Amino acid sequence: MAYILRSGVSYAWVGSVPLILDLDHNRYFKLSPRGSAALLRLEQGQMAIPGDAEILLESGLVCEGGCASTIAPTGNMPVITASYFDEQRRASLRHVMVAVIDQLWAFAVIRRAG
């Protein structure tokens, strides 16, 4: 049986752990050690250990495909050259007032609701 990544799922290896982005469910997650080992074997085309497919299917990472397909992590990510936060920003009176009101509102809600 051939397996492919489910639509909306991508992943990258961080050390020996795959970090998975699931856009459909709006979450990041990592697999268990058994799941990580199963994914590594699937990448290498082995799937030799019984239960590998079930682990990956239950996690929602892969689905059954009609033809053989390569499962691989996301390619090289672009290099970040600048950040929005690198530029100096001037606080406007409006932004300061919104922040103060938000702080007071949060304080009141926490005191009331606990």
Side-chain angles (χ1 to χ4, degrees):
M1 179 58 65
Y3 297 95
I4 58 173
L5 282 178
R6 187 175 48 80
S7 175
V9 172
S10 60
Y11 69 97
W13 288 94
V14 180
S16 62
V17 178
L19 183 62
I20 298 157
L21 170 62
D22 187 350
L23 293 175
D24 295 339
H25 294 104
N26 195 27
R27 67 182 181 139
Y28 280 101
F29 67 98
K30 67 176 189 166
L31 293 175
S32 66
R34 285 187 62 208
S36 298
L39 181 61
L40 183 61
R41 284 189 291 274
L42 180 61
E43 276 184 14
Q44 297 169 349
Q46 295 174 356
M47 292 299 276
I49 296 177
D52 278 357
E54 288 77 21
I55 292 170
L56 297 175
L57 287 168
E58 287 172 5
S59 71
L61 182 61
V62 299
C63 57
E64 294 179 0
C67 58
S69 175
T70 304
I71 291 186
T74 304
N76 293 333
M77 303 303 282
V79 176
I80 298 172
T81 57
S83 170
Y84 172 82
F85 299 104
D86 290 340
E87 300 175 19
Q88 290 204 352
R89 304 281 180 211
R90 294 185 62 195
S92 68
L93 180 59
R94 179 177 166 268
H95 290 128
V96 171
M97 291 306 297
V98 167
V100 169
I101 291 169
D102 285 347
Q103 287 288 326
L104 291 173
W105 178 256
F107 180 72
V109 168
I110 289 172
R111 284 205 98 188
R112 191 170 299 149

